[in-house]
Amino acid sequence: MTTLEDIKEKRNWEVLEEDYYSPVSPWSNGRFQSLSMEHEEYGTEVALDSEINPKGHPEYYLEVDGEILEEDLGQEKYDIMELEMQKQEKRGRYG
């Protein structure tokens, strides 16, 4: 299972932005909100972002260059983001 740290450390990708929701207590770092990554050579941006639903929980979605590709991502959100980054890198290399 891919972690947030795995994604941030991917070779040839740079972290553009990383945000967290405000912590609910002083003992918390806050819940992950969003991460934008850009390929250093091809300039493609892949982002995992979220919005708070009416129940107060984040709902995650995946974007490539500002276009939403997948919505309602669950526990596998980092795996899906990593796969999309691999796909975009291949597209940039062979496209």
Side-chain angles (χ1 to χ4, degrees):
M1 190 151 193
T2 306
T3 67
L4 179 61
E5 290 304 313
D6 293 336
I7 290 174
K8 291 175 14 183
E9 294 174 1
K10 278 192 78 64
R11 194 171 56 108
N12 298 323
W13 290 85
E14 177 184 348
V15 175
L16 291 179
E17 187 176 336
E18 181 178 5
D19 289 314
Y20 293 84
Y21 290 108
S22 297
V24 291
S25 74
W27 305 278
S28 170
N29 291 334
R31 190 179 291 190
F32 170 74
Q33 180 177 353
S34 65
L35 176 68
S36 295
M37 302 288 290
E38 181 178 55
H39 193 276
E40 293 172 352
E41 186 176 345
Y42 309 121
T44 303
E45 183 180 340
V46 177
L48 183 63
D49 207 344
S50 65
E51 293 179 352
I52 298 294
N53 68 19
K55 293 182 180 180
H57 302 289
E59 290 183 351
Y60 294 95
Y61 56 93
L62 183 72
E63 294 181 15
V64 174
D65 292 333
E67 180 181 330
I68 295 175
L69 295 186
E70 293 193 47
E71 298 181 89
D72 299 326
L73 302 177
Q75 294 289 340
E76 72 286 352
K77 61 187 174 283
Y78 301 130
D79 294 325
I80 292 171
M81 183 176 188
E82 182 181 33
L83 288 173
E84 187 61 38
M85 290 167 74
Q86 291 172 6
K87 187 165 72 173
Q88 293 301 322
E89 191 165 27
K90 285 179 185 172
R91 186 172 287 157
R93 189 178 307 135
Y94 303 114

